Amino acid sequence: MTNPLLHEITESAFLEADAGRRLFSHEYARRFAIIKLDAITEPWALSWCSDVIQPNTIVDNVSGITWIAVDERIAGLSMNGQIVFALATSTAVLSVQTFSSGVVVISESQAFVINRTCSIRSLIDFPDIAFDFELDNDDLRVELADGSKMTFSL
C-alpha cells in the first residue's frame, strides 16, 4: 500500500469541503490540507494550528489503516476511508510508528499503544516531557527533558 497523498490547500478550499469530510477542524487553524487514500475518491480535509509542524501520516501495511496525527489529534482511516479510531491527546503528538503488533502514538507527555483492532492496549505516562525517542522492536526508549532515559515494553 502506498502512503496517502497530503496536499496543502487554502482556508477557503477547506471551508468548501463537506463538513462530514473534515477529519480535523481546529477553530483557530492556520494551515489546511486534504488527504486522499488510494481506496476512496473523495478526500478528507484537515486543519491544524502549527506553522511549523506537518501532519504525521503512516500506513500500517498489516491492517491497512492509515494513521494521521497533527497537533493534539490522531485518527485512523480504514482502506475504504472510514474513521476507525479518533483521539484527542493532552499534549502535542510527536510521532506515530508501527511495531510488531500495532501502532504507538508518542506525544510530549504520553505514549498510546494501539492494537491493530484499534483498541487502546496501554497508556504510558512520562514523568517529564519527552525530548527524544526510539522504537526498537517492541521497546520504546524515551529521553526526557530532565536528561533521564527510560525504556518501556510495548
Side-chain angles (χ1 to χ4, degrees):
M1 172 178 274
T2 60
N3 276 328
L5 300 174
L6 185 72
H7 298 285
E8 271 201 67
I9 59 174
T10 64
E11 181 177 9
S12 60
F14 175 81
L15 295 173
E16 289 172 9
D18 180 351
R21 300 296 299 179
R22 295 181 193 162
L23 187 60
F24 302 136
S25 185
H26 285 271
E27 186 175 355
Y28 301 106
R30 292 185 225 170
R31 295 181 65 192
F32 308 87
I34 57 169
I35 187 164
K36 184 165 176 58
L37 304 178
D38 292 339
I40 64 169
T41 55
E42 192 173 355
W44 286 94
L46 56 144
S47 66
W48 65 100
C49 298
S50 175
D51 286 327
V52 184
I53 297 172
Q54 281 288 103
N56 206 330
T57 63
I58 190 167
V59 177
D60 181 339
N61 290 322
V62 176
S63 68
I65 295 171
T66 298
W67 295 91
I68 304 141
V70 70
D71 292 336
E72 295 91 16
R73 307 253 170 91
I74 175 114
L77 299 173
S78 68
M79 286 187 287
N80 64 2
Q82 293 183 340
I83 299 171
V84 293
F85 185 89
L87 180 72
T89 62
S90 59
T91 57
V93 174
L94 304 174
S95 181
V96 181
Q97 298 183 23
T98 59
F99 71 104
S100 65
S101 58
V103 172
V104 61
V105 177
I106 303 159
S107 76
E108 291 176 334
S109 64
Q110 301 172 309
F112 299 86
V113 183
I114 304 167
N115 294 315
R116 288 212 161 86
T117 58
C118 295
S119 60
I120 297 175
R121 174 189 300 180
S122 62
L123 172 64
I124 301 166
D125 286 317
F126 302 143
D128 198 358
I129 299 295
F131 177 72
D132 196 16
F133 53 87
E134 175 187 6
L135 190 59
D136 182 22
N137 295 318
D138 289 354
D139 289 331
L140 175 63
R141 291 178 176 64
V142 179
E143 182 178 349
L144 302 172
D146 66 4
S148 64
K149 297 179 181 180
M150 304 182 83
T151 300
F152 302 94
S153 178
L154 302 177

